[in-house]
Amino acid sequence: MPTLSDPLISISGLGKKTSERLNQLGIYTLEHLLFHLPNRYQDKTRITPLSEAQVGSEILVELTIDRIEEAPTRQRQLLCYLSDDNNQRLLLRFFHFNQYQKQALVRGETLQCFGEIKIGRQGLEMHHPEYRITSKQSPLFESTLTPVYPLCQGVTQNKLKQWINIALELLKNTTIDDHFEKMAKNTMPSLSEALFLLHHPRKGENLTQIADFSHISQQRLIIEELAAHQLSLKQVKLRRKSKISNILTLETELSELLSKSLGFSLTGAQKRCIEEINTDLATQHPMLRLLQGDVGSGKTIVAVFALLQAVANGFQTAVMAPTEILARQHEQSFGEYLCKLGITVAYLSGSQNTEERNKQLHRVTSGEAQVVIGTHALFQESVSFDNLGFVIIDEQHKFGVHQRLSLAQKAKKTPHQLVMTATPIPRSLTMSAYADLDTSIIDELPPGRQAIQTIALSTNRKDEIIEKIKQVCAEGRQIYWVCTLIEESEVLRAESAENTFTYLSNNFADLRVMMIHGRLNKGDKEAIMRDFSQGKINILVATTVIEVGVNVPNASLMIVENAERLGLAQLHQLRGRVGRGGEKSVCVLMYQSPLSESAKQRLDILRQTCDGFVIAEKDLELRGPGEVLGTQQTGIAGMKIANIVRDAYLLKQASYYSELMLGENEYAQNALIQRWIDEDKSHYANA
Ligand code: ADP
Ligand code: MG
């Protein structure tokens, strides 16, 4: 007799090949079979009189055979005419059949049939129903609802049902680890109760709730699954916290100098985030903190304050950005603050020539550079630091865990890490996918910022923008015009920018229009951006090059062409390039008609709100966790029962239980994790 923890092949008749197929469904052991839940049910608990049969519904009927015949059509068919006591009739059609089958269907026999009721020329029909001859075979009638399971190739419904029933039989006679039952203290059904109910619901069970995933038995499993994922991330966090890092004693001198050099005072939210970071840095355990804030909320300056702690304590800081353009912008924006304080900055990127690169590398290795800013080039093998103690990473999504680790490994002790995200992360993801990180949120914009008015406009009304442009330029304000062709080729993108550039130049002979795109060389790009930020250019035509980080407060009009092709987060980022000064700003989203339903939804959301956190939630709703998280987080995106969008309302409860689980012994914790997280999908092992 197998046990629940045994591998699938211990079921007799289940071979290696089938076992491999079931592995694809995440089923490796008999216990996993228990968690392979039906996606719907058939109701064979009631025999429906034909007079009540509704076309399209699946029902069980019991009728007598009147006659059978083979239809003389080109494609052979077996027809079986049935009726009940009231002379109501049903015709069964079989398109594939054998002689044995035909001979068994004898006039006068009683049949139980289960199938979908269709309507044909002669009245009610069923095609290829499941059937039993009641005098010879066990009836189809069942006392509970019949599960229908999701299948994989090469496995039939009947076989799978049979194996799952073996596992359920075992469950009856064994006690399964059920820490939640203990913790929930009778407020939720036990694990076994929930599983039995969902595999074989009793007649009259609330199937609508089950279809909505809101049945308490499902909630019970969902909470447990969410808690298992959180637990595994929290374990990672605890393990990290047990490591030793450098204690950074709080310095105030540089910070005060910096504060004085700013033309503004920090928002309350910025101050709070800086304090949260400083508290972490002053402990002997490595920080790993996510700094979230909407576009324009002022994340850069928070990061600068943080790195001052490392500088003052004699440690180097690495600032890593996902693209060359972003890295350059960081060099500029961080550099501006740091230079004034006499802090030395080095820059590393893949596009540097050997001489320049060697020069910069030397500054890093010797310790001359106190801060090193760069792209992926930072974690290449050839880069060695004198005394790395603090790592700042911009845009979490675009780096893998491994990349982050390989940079951290360049430090003698695990460094403190601050991760900045360009866009806010929905709360449900922070509670699930990012449960291993501490978070600080800048939930307040600098004072005086006005909401950006957002307008959607069809391309064929392009001319209406001309007036607006004249007006904005007359007020001395500047304009971005972003061209977004999805063509992979930078040549085609540049071409579309070129067309717009010509169009605008022709219309505005008296204005200075310039164009920037990826094919320009570095020097030219920098010169154009400088001219624009100094107000020497009225209209900047750009490809999505300018998406992140550019900061020109005098720009007050953003026009995005083909906005229907961009995602919510990207559009929100682009829009965030304006509205950075005290002036009222406008964003025009131009689109090509007709709009798809999803594009329409995106544009509507942007018109309704400027709040990045709201937009992030909507984005998650529209695209789902798999798309939003990408491949880095397959664990959360591919859960067995839970879905963090649908089940977000249960995350808090899950969090409560995962905290409680952390207090349980290691065996119990690991049993829970192994139940829910496939080993080969687990990205946690090396996080
Ligand atoms: P983001 O969070 O998008 O990276 P930035 O760090 O680029 O935002 O800051 C956006 C702009 O706001 C910058 O010009 C910055 O100098 C300015 N800024 C930051 N904090 C404040 C503040 N407390 N008061 C006024 N302006 C601020
Ligand atoms: Mg920024």
Side-chain angles (χ1 to χ4, degrees):
M1 201 55 180
T3 69
L4 283 175
S5 55
D6 284 343
L8 291 174
I9 45 162
S10 48
I11 294 178
S12 74
L14 198 163
K16 192 156 167 278
K17 199 160 166 202
T18 311
S19 158
E20 276 163 12
R21 285 182 161 145
L22 290 168
N23 291 168
Q24 310 260 300
L25 296 172
I27 304 171
Y28 295 81
T29 64
L30 270 73
E31 181 174 320
H32 288 148
L33 280 170
L34 296 173
F35 293 89
H36 190 67
L37 294 174
N39 47 13
R40 64 187 189 92
Y41 304 92
Q42 296 172 332
D43 189 354
K44 297 177 189 165
T45 63
R46 177 179 123 86
I47 292 173
T48 307
L50 270 184
S51 55
E52 289 174 24
Q54 291 188 358
V55 177
S57 63
E58 273 189 330
I59 54 169
L60 180 66
V61 292
E62 190 173 271
L63 303 163
T64 312
I65 301 180
D66 291 336
R67 107 189 127 85
I68 69 157
E69 74 180 37
E70 265 188 60
T73 44
R74 194 145 48 99
Q75 195 203 355
R76 261 171 18 123
Q77 277 185 28
L78 180 64
L79 304 178
C80 180
Y81 294 88
L82 306 171
S83 65
D84 64 12
D85 297 342
N86 301 324
N87 219 16
Q88 299 271 343
R89 292 169 183 286
L90 178 70
L91 168 60
L92 307 186
R93 277 184 204 274
F94 297 91
F95 302 102
H96 321 277
F97 60 96
N98 54 38
Q99 287 310 307
Y100 171 79
Q101 210 176 350
K102 183 181 164 189
Q103 279 157 18
L105 295 169
V106 177
R107 178 187 157 89
E109 290 279 13
T110 301
L111 282 191
Q112 278 192 357
C113 311
F114 182 83
E116 186 191 329
I117 293 287
K118 296 179 188 290
I119 188 96
R121 235 182 290 161
Q122 309 180 49
L124 300 182
E125 299 186 358
M126 271 188 193
H127 300 173
H128 278 278
E130 202 183 344
Y131 70 88
R132 297 279 198 283
I133 301 164
T134 49
S135 64
K136 298 179 183 134
Q137 297 166 308
S138 58
L140 282 176
F141 182 85
E142 291 189 53
S143 59
T144 57
L145 297 173
T146 311
V148 180
Y149 295 104
L151 297 175
C152 58
Q153 217 206 350
V155 173
T156 64
Q157 189 63 238
N158 274 337
K159 277 287 171 206
L160 189 55
K161 207 177 291 179
Q162 202 181 315
W163 298 326
I164 290 173
N165 284 340
I166 291 176
L168 283 168
E169 251 341 282
L170 286 173
L171 181 62
K172 264 185 206 160
N173 307 318
T174 31
T175 43
I176 188 166
D177 287 327
D178 191 354
H179 275 81
F180 276 75
E181 194 183 9
K182 263 196 291 171
M183 294 190 287
K185 300 196 181 72
N186 299 326
T187 57
M188 293 193 289
S190 72
L191 184 59
S192 325
E193 281 167 343
L195 289 172
F196 280 119
L197 186 140
L198 292 171
H199 282 287
H200 296 288
R202 272 185 289 273
K203 220 159 138 158
E205 195 55 69
N206 190 333
L207 290 185
T208 321
Q209 271 187 354
I210 295 183
D212 289 346
F213 288 85
S214 62
H215 193 282
I216 185 146
S217 296
Q218 290 164 310
Q219 288 174 330
R220 151 92 178 66
L221 296 174
I222 289 167
I223 292 171
E224 186 176 322
E225 180 169 31
L226 291 171
H229 281 266
Q230 289 177 358
L231 177 67
S232 80
L233 284 167
K234 285 175 177 176
Q235 282 184 346
V236 171
K237 185 168 164 180
L238 278 180
R239 243 176 268 144
R240 190 180 59 242
K241 290 243 157 114
S242 70
K243 288 188 184 150
I244 302 296
S245 186
N246 299 297
I247 298 178
L248 304 185
T249 43
L250 189 69
E251 83 82 43
T252 51
E253 213 171 299
L254 282 172
S255 305
E256 267 165 30
L257 270 178
L258 177 60
S259 294
K260 278 185 200 140
S261 78
L262 296 175
F264 51 79
S265 50
L266 297 174
T267 61
Q270 284 172 317
K271 283 186 197 150
R272 176 174 42 75
C273 291
I274 293 170
E275 260 167 43
E276 285 166 1
I277 294 166
N278 285 349
T279 307
D280 283 359
L281 297 178
T283 73
Q284 60 172 343
H285 303 298
M287 170 175 87
L288 182 53
R289 191 168 274 279
L290 188 65
L291 177 63
Q292 293 191 59
D294 206 347
V295 213
S297 62
K299 292 180 287 284
T300 312
I301 193 70
V302 172
V304 172
F305 273 102
L307 74 82
L308 290 185
Q309 299 300 329
V311 170
N313 281 273
F315 292 101
Q316 287 174 301
T317 299
V319 180
M320 183 163 74
T323 65
E324 174 95 35
I325 288 180
L326 248 187
R328 276 287 171 202
Q329 274 156 14
H330 281 334
E331 187 200 12
Q332 212 172 34
S333 53
F334 279 76
E336 207 175 298
Y337 298 120
L338 298 176
C339 279
K340 283 188 224 159
L341 300 172
I343 293 168
T344 49
V345 179
Y347 183 79
L348 279 176
S349 88
S351 69
Q352 278 167 329
N353 63 36
T354 320
E355 193 194 333
E356 180 59 21
R357 185 175 163 75
N358 286 339
K359 197 176 115 199
Q360 297 292 334
L361 276 177
H362 177 73
R363 300 178 66 214
V364 178
T365 314
S366 68
E368 181 204 327
Q370 291 162 294
V371 176
V372 188
I373 298 175
T375 58
H376 300 71
L378 281 181
F379 49 68
Q380 276 163 8
E381 230 173 281
S382 56
V383 183
S384 71
F385 289 81
D386 174 45
N387 195 11
L388 179 64
F390 190 28
V391 171
I392 296 174
I393 294 177
D394 198 1
E395 292 222 63
Q396 152 93 355
H397 293 341
K398 301 212 172 104
F399 293 106
V401 170
H402 295 287
Q403 294 176 314
R404 205 181 71 210
L405 282 175
S406 59
L407 183 53
Q409 272 154 11
K410 292 181 183 292
K412 293 175 191 121
K413 287 184 191 168
T414 313
H416 297 290
Q417 296 181 66
L418 182 69
V419 179
M420 296 198 284
T421 63
T423 33
I425 296 170
R427 202 175 132 65
S428 53
L429 287 185
T430 323
M431 289 180 76
S432 51
Y434 295 102
D436 59 334
L437 306 181
D438 292 306
T439 32
S440 288
I441 302 182
I442 311 183
D443 50 7
E444 180 188 356
L445 292 178
R449 296 273 168 82
Q450 296 192 35
I452 301 160
Q453 187 195 354
T454 305
I455 301 165
L457 195 70
S458 166
T459 319
N460 49 34
R461 290 169 60 192
K462 200 171 181 174
D463 291 339
E464 290 177 27
I465 298 179
I466 300 294
E467 268 318 300
K468 182 76 194 160
I469 289 179
K470 281 186 187 149
Q471 188 195 332
V472 169
C473 290
E475 287 166 10
R477 313 248 152 245
Q478 294 163 276
I479 297 165
Y480 292 104
W481 186 302
V482 180
C483 305
T484 55
L485 270 197
I486 45 164
E487 260 79 19
E488 277 310 306
S489 125
E490 194 52 50
V491 180
L492 285 173
R493 271 192 239 187
E495 212 171 275
S496 104
E498 198 102 38
N499 290 339
T500 302
F501 175 69
T502 315
Y503 169 83
L504 290 172
S505 304
N506 291 342
N507 271 285
F508 300 105
D510 52 335
L511 295 179
R512 181 130 190 258
V513 184
M514 285 297 282
M515 176 166 62
I516 186 167
H517 54 73
R519 291 178 77 217
L520 295 177
N521 71 39
K522 208 175 72 190
D524 288 348
K525 271 192 261 184
E526 278 170 16
I528 293 174
M529 283 319 295
R530 195 176 49 237
D531 283 357
F532 189 64
S533 59
Q534 290 173 358
K536 293 179 187 160
I537 295 172
N538 301 98
I539 307 174
L540 183 66
V541 179
T543 53
T544 35
V545 171
I546 62 146
E547 186 192 336
V548 246
V550 185
N551 189 27
V552 182
N554 190 47
S556 70
L557 176 60
M558 164 66 66
I559 297 157
V560 184
E561 258 187 272
N562 295 112
E564 79 279 4
R565 288 174 171 168
L566 298 183
L568 270 176
Q570 210 179 0
L571 286 169
H572 180 59
Q573 280 292 323
L574 281 172
R575 178 170 62 179
R577 298 306 111 209
V578 295
R580 300 189 149 232
E583 295 307 310
K584 179 116 198 103
S585 294
V586 176
C587 174
V588 180
L589 303 173
M590 279 209 293
Y591 60 86
Q592 203 87 48
S593 305
L595 274 181
S596 72
E597 193 46 46
S598 64
K600 186 174 174 311
Q601 279 177 327
R602 287 198 297 274
L603 299 189
D604 280 346
I605 291 165
L606 286 162
R607 285 192 309 134
Q608 283 155 15
T609 181
C610 282
D611 183 333
F613 285 92
V614 175
I615 290 169
E617 293 289 349
K618 295 280 181 195
D619 195 26
L620 181 62
E621 253 170 55
L622 291 180
R623 290 195 299 150
E627 287 291 313
V628 171
L629 287 168
T631 50
Q632 294 301 327
Q633 298 276 357
T634 46
I636 297 292
M639 287 186 284
K640 292 182 199 293
I641 300 173
N643 169 319
I644 53 159
V645 177
R646 185 192 65 209
D647 306 324
Y649 73 106
L650 296 172
L651 276 162
K652 260 215 162 116
Q653 232 170 315
S655 185
Y656 170 75
Y657 286 114
S658 60
E659 277 310 310
L660 283 186
M661 273 312 281
L662 279 176
E664 297 284 326
N665 63 47
E666 206 172 320
Y667 171 81
Q669 293 186 24
N670 292 340
L672 181 68
I673 290 171
Q674 275 158 23
R675 172 179 298 159
W676 291 102
I677 303 173
D678 300 347
E679 233 159 277
D680 65 336
K681 270 202 207 144
S682 166
H683 56 286
Y684 306 118
N686 42 18

